[in-house]
Amino acid sequence: MIAMMLLLRVGLMFPPQIPVLCYHQIRDWKPKDKARDKEYIMPPATFRKRLKMLADSGYHTILPDELYAHLTKGTPLPSKPVMLTFDDTDGDQYHIARPEMAKYGFKGVYFIVFNNINKNRAYMNRSQIRQLSDEGHVIGSHTLNHPNIKKLKDSDWVNELDVSARKLETLTGKPVKYFAYPFGIWDQRVLPQLDKYGYLAAFQLDQPRDAAKPLLTVRRVIDDGRWDNTTLNRYLQRGFGRR
């Protein structure tokens, strides 16, 4: 009985994880790119192979509302669910990722750094973000300025968490309920702030989840631009568990 109760408690705190992949730049590598940078840089040809592999393998993309309903209400998900997320507002996520996903009927989550919009030609503009939203992709907040969360002062929370979301809501006409931590880094100070400003879930990178707030520390992994499809498929099957 004790063992059963323990298993149930672990299940509530740490439900089995759904694969959530994270992408940043989608472009060819340049001679100046350092080896560690290639983790974050996905060559377009590799990205196209990735999506074809996911489609051919029977994966179905899901969006945060579906994940939230599944984790809080037990709402069923499609077979082999996966979430595709994009950070930082890079323009190649619109020009390359968007049409490639459309080939397979995939939808993704775009976490926007609001002050990157129209920053220069490398970033998306307002009309592109609005179009992504209108086409059924989800727009989430990635803060106003992309700071390290651990370095923020109490006076910074309202701008980075609240103002960023309100500006995106004005842009898209839709509520912003989901957040991604800059650099994938979170700490305990931010969790009550996310609750305060009405976020339903927040996405980090490959760290253990918080026992009390697993929905605010949803784990993602970067789809490494150096991996082949076999490596990614193995990670999808084995790399997500109860962490």
Side-chain angles (χ1 to χ4, degrees), residues 179-197:
F179 179 81
Y181 299 99
F183 310 105
I185 298 171
W186 66 278
D187 70 8
Q188 291 292 332
R189 292 187 311 131
V190 72
L191 302 183
Q193 299 296 328
L194 291 167
D195 276 333
K196 175 181 177 179
Y197 292 117

Side-chain angles (χ1 to χ4, degrees), residues 1-167:
M1 177 63 73
I2 294 176
M4 179 61 69
M5 291 176 64
L6 179 60
L7 286 172
L8 288 172
R9 182 170 180 267
V10 170
L12 289 172
M13 289 192 305
F14 295 113
Q17 294 184 89
I18 304 302
V20 183
L21 300 179
C22 178
Y23 298 92
H24 292 81
Q25 298 179 49
I26 304 174
R27 62 167 176 81
D28 289 318
W29 295 331
K30 300 176 182 178
K32 67 178 182 179
D33 291 329
K34 298 177 182 178
R36 66 176 180 270
D37 295 332
K38 294 179 180 179
E39 177 184 0
Y40 295 85
I41 303 168
M42 173 70 70
T46 304
F47 184 77
R48 295 184 180 100
K49 291 178 182 178
R50 285 286 198 272
L51 293 197
K52 186 177 187 303
M53 183 274 288
L54 291 174
D56 290 348
S57 300
Y59 283 95
H60 297 86
T61 57
I62 63 169
L63 295 174
D65 281 350
E66 296 171 89
L67 179 63
Y68 183 80
H70 175 69
L71 294 177
T72 60
K73 302 176 183 178
T75 304
L77 293 173
S79 61
K80 300 186 76 171
V82 64
M83 188 182 297
L84 307 180
T85 68
F86 301 86
D87 288 5
D88 299 348
T89 327
D90 292 273
D92 44 33
Q93 299 169 2
Y94 174 87
H95 296 294
I96 298 173
R98 171 182 162 270
E100 200 64 26
M101 287 193 290
K103 292 181 181 179
Y104 306 103
F106 287 173
K107 299 297 181 184
V109 190
Y110 287 79
F111 289 110
I112 302 297
V113 178
F114 191 85
N115 283 347
N116 279 355
I117 301 173
N118 286 332
K119 187 175 182 179
N120 58 48
R121 295 180 64 184
Y123 294 99
M124 284 186 270
N125 59 42
R126 291 170 179 265
S127 64
Q128 290 168 341
I129 293 168
R130 190 179 297 110
Q131 182 179 3
L132 288 168
S133 177
D134 290 345
E135 291 175 349
H137 301 282
V138 168
I139 302 300
S141 174
H142 201 36
T143 70
L144 202 63
N145 300 294
H146 203 271
N148 185 327
I149 290 291
K150 290 189 174 183
K151 297 181 180 180
L152 291 182
K153 301 176 181 178
D154 289 346
S155 59
D156 296 324
W157 296 125
V158 65
N159 279 330
E160 299 300 342
L161 301 184
D162 189 43
V163 172
S164 62
R166 303 294 84 79
K167 286 179 176 288

